[in-house]
Amino acid sequence: MTTTPPFAQRTRIKICGLTREQDVDAAVAAGADAIGFVLYANSPRYVTPKRASELARRLPPFVTPVLLFVNETTENIIAAYASVAGATAQFHGDETPEQCWLASQSGARPFLRAARIPLGDAGGSFDLVKFALDYSQAQAILLDAHVQGYGGGGQTFNWSLLPPNVNAHLVLSGGLDAANVTAGILQVRPRCKSLAVDVSSGVEVSGPGHKGLKDPEKINQFVAAVRAADEQFAEMSNHV
């Protein structure tokens, strides 16, 4: 019999890089907590603020639209915030703590800050504790793989090299899919206040030219794998 994990152990789910109405509907139907729209023109998943606003209007209550920015101007960020009701920003470039704070209108709007974790053994040199402290005004720190350009490029970093205790809410991203997200949650969840996961390429239609086009079956498989991880973590916690 399936049981619902306690609040602190429920992993929130964000599906990112959506560009079509049917994909928004599929993510909501699967139980996603947040939907991400990429407002970075160099991304193959780019949508305009106007398009993000149109798609976000399909969301039911309590599903959060997230607007991803990379080194965008404060003015454009504030304008995009205003066009999408209830939006959270995700800063994925080189934004300083001060720039994030100004763009959030001094905390009037929530935001996430992406930390780009180096691949391989170099991941151990990234000072996530300091990064989380520097960006303590962020609602959460999103962990992504550091590859050329911005975004994780569908690659995972070495989760085992993360610090054992980070005083922040974390969002695990970078190369996640239904096959590895359970392991990622079990590895990272004990290291932070709470954990959410963020998937994009891992739930897309297979084949070239399909970036931004989501596969409903893969979305459902991903959500099921997250829920399985929550149950495993709850069982592990009960036996400690």
Side-chain angles (χ1 to χ4, degrees):
M1 180 177 179
T2 300
T3 58
T4 301
F7 168 81
Q9 296 171 349
R10 181 181 180 277
T11 305
R12 266 56 182 177
I13 299 171
K14 172 173 170 269
I15 311 293
C16 195
L18 279 75
T19 60
R20 305 185 300 179
E21 285 83 356
Q22 60 263 43
D23 296 337
V24 172
D25 295 345
V28 169
D33 300 282
I35 304 298
F37 303 110
V38 178
L39 273 60
Y40 175 49
N42 291 335
S43 169
R45 302 177 181 89
Y46 169 70
V47 294
T48 65
K50 182 176 182 294
R51 179 61 173 155
S53 178
E54 293 171 353
L55 292 170
R57 283 198 290 271
R58 302 181 72 84
L59 298 178
F62 313 126
V63 177
T64 303
V66 180
L67 308 178
L68 188 155
F69 301 100
V70 176
N71 300 331
E72 187 54 83
T73 66
T74 298
E75 293 74 17
N76 286 345
I77 293 167
I78 291 174
Y81 261 136
S83 69
V84 181
T88 291
Q90 178 177 321
F91 297 120
H92 219 97
D94 306 304
E95 299 89 355
T96 65
E98 292 76 19
Q99 288 171 327
C100 293
W101 186 246
L102 284 174
S104 74
Q105 296 172 280
S106 301
R109 297 282 196 148
F111 67 92
L112 314 175
R113 180 64 172 98
R116 304 168 72 200
I117 312 296
L119 299 174
D121 292 341
S125 65
F126 188 93
D127 193 342
L128 182 57
V129 172
K130 181 180 184 302
F131 188 93
L133 183 63
D134 290 344
Y135 291 91
S136 60
Q137 302 289 356
Q139 188 175 41
I141 303 299
L142 184 142
L143 311 179
D144 207 353
H146 190 166
V147 297
Q148 186 174 4
Y150 297 96
Q155 297 192 52
T156 59
F157 59 92
N158 190 339
W159 306 318
S160 69
L161 297 178
L162 293 172
N165 188 15
V166 181
N167 186 29
H169 300 286
L170 298 182
V171 181
L172 182 61
S173 185
L176 295 180
D177 55 28
N180 65 12
V181 69
T182 297
I185 291 170
L186 296 179
Q187 178 75 243
V188 180
R189 174 62 187 87
R191 302 168 185 260
C192 55
K193 284 183 174 181
S194 74
L195 185 67
V197 291
D198 184 355
V199 64
S200 183
S201 62
V203 294
E204 288 184 337
V205 175
S206 301
H210 290 152
K211 291 184 177 181
L213 308 183
K214 307 306 184 187
D215 183 328
E217 184 176 353
K218 289 183 178 180
I219 291 174
N220 283 313
Q221 291 170 347
F222 183 85
V223 172
V226 174
R227 297 295 161 244
D230 284 347
E231 292 184 9
Q232 288 186 45
F233 189 80
E235 291 174 3
M236 292 164 54
S237 299
N238 290 335
H239 287 90
V240 173

